[in-house]
Amino acid sequence: MNNNVLSRVFHIKYGNSEGTCFTIDVEHHQYIITAKHVVPNLQTGDYVLFYRNGQWLKTIATLIGHSEIADISVFSITAKLGGLPLVPSMDKIRYGQDLYFLGFPYGIKSEMGDVNRDFPVPLVKKAILSAIMTDGPARTMLLDGNSNPGFSGGPVIFMEDGTVNYKIAGIVSGYRYDWADTIIDGTLTPMKSRVNTGIIIAHDISHALDMIRANPLGKSLL
């Protein structure tokens, strides 16, 4: 995973909710994308906290939009973040190929000082593309992997065949869970426990691009 990807992923807090976000550049403006359930009530003028250099720093957000069909929110801030552009697109992704998703599960992070401008470096995990599901206008990817709380809002990254360039395919929403029987000392109990099925749910980056085109209020990079 190259530094251009790592430097675009951030640990954020909004109210009592923590998660992951990342930046993309569109038409020379920068936007921040996360899962809607991480910033469910975000409005322009609200504070979003970014973790940097061992502390939470407040920044005022400008809301671009909350998707009505996917677990995606887009906002901008006055500071420029991230490095060289990454293409936000699922174009030429293929079934069964390796993907990567990045974030801060349980708030775990790698502190590497000025290597990442005093921002923490996210964890990187691997999955494969199992399915692309369409439900009306919404498009969702199902990944075979093991996600954890805190990856929500992080990017799903893939490398197009025949190239060495990463693309951002989507946004991590969560994972499919199931309820399992609880057995104590060999005896089945009425209790159930929630288990991770290994099916990761992520939404198509195009839904974020639609919101950006409808309300292009990102941070100017010019």
Side-chain angles (χ1 to χ4, degrees), residues 109-191:
K109 54 182 96 41
S110 177
E111 301 280 8
M112 300 181 69
D114 60 5
V115 170
N116 194 31
R117 300 158 297 132
D118 293 323
F119 287 103
V121 176
L123 274 67
V124 181
K125 297 189 76 172
K126 188 176 182 179
I128 65 171
L129 179 60
S130 294
I132 298 174
M133 313 292 290
T134 301
D135 181 11
R139 189 157 73 153
T140 300
M141 291 179 287
L142 300 182
L143 315 182
D144 178 14
N146 195 342
S147 186
N148 313 99
F151 275 110
S152 294
V156 176
I157 306 293
F158 77 103
M159 186 176 287
E160 183 182 327
D161 288 343
T163 77
V164 294
N165 299 315
Y166 288 106
K167 289 182 174 181
I168 303 175
I171 302 97
V172 175
S173 174
Y175 56 85
R176 173 73 180 269
Y177 63 84
D178 200 1
W179 295 98
D181 293 332
T182 300
I183 298 174
I184 300 177
D185 295 330
T187 301
L188 180 66
T189 74
M191 295 184 294

Side-chain angles (χ1 to χ4, degrees), residues 28-120:
H28 305 295
H29 287 75
Q30 190 166 89
Y31 298 87
I32 300 171
I33 300 175
T34 189
K36 183 165 62 175
H37 73 265
V38 174
V39 291
N41 303 308
L42 180 67
Q43 297 297 324
T44 294
D46 288 353
Y47 284 112
V48 176
L49 281 68
F50 283 70
Y51 193 87
R52 186 182 190 189
N53 199 21
Q55 59 185 319
W56 290 104
L57 302 178
K58 286 184 176 181
T59 186
I60 295 177
T62 297
L63 179 67
I64 306 304
H66 296 296
S67 175
E68 297 181 357
I69 61 174
D71 184 17
I72 301 172
S73 291
V74 183
F75 63 97
S76 65
I77 62 174
T78 57
K80 177 184 175 182
L81 300 171
L84 297 174
L86 292 172
V87 176
S89 173
M90 284 180 59
D91 185 43
K92 297 187 179 178
I93 201 169
R94 59 177 174 79
Y95 268 49
Q97 83 168 98
D98 290 341
L99 307 169
Y100 301 90
F101 58 102
L102 298 88
F104 301 94
Y106 307 108
I108 299 170
K109 54 182 96 41
S110 177
E111 301 280 8
M112 300 181 69
D114 60 5
V115 170
N116 194 31
R117 300 158 297 132
D118 293 323
F119 287 103

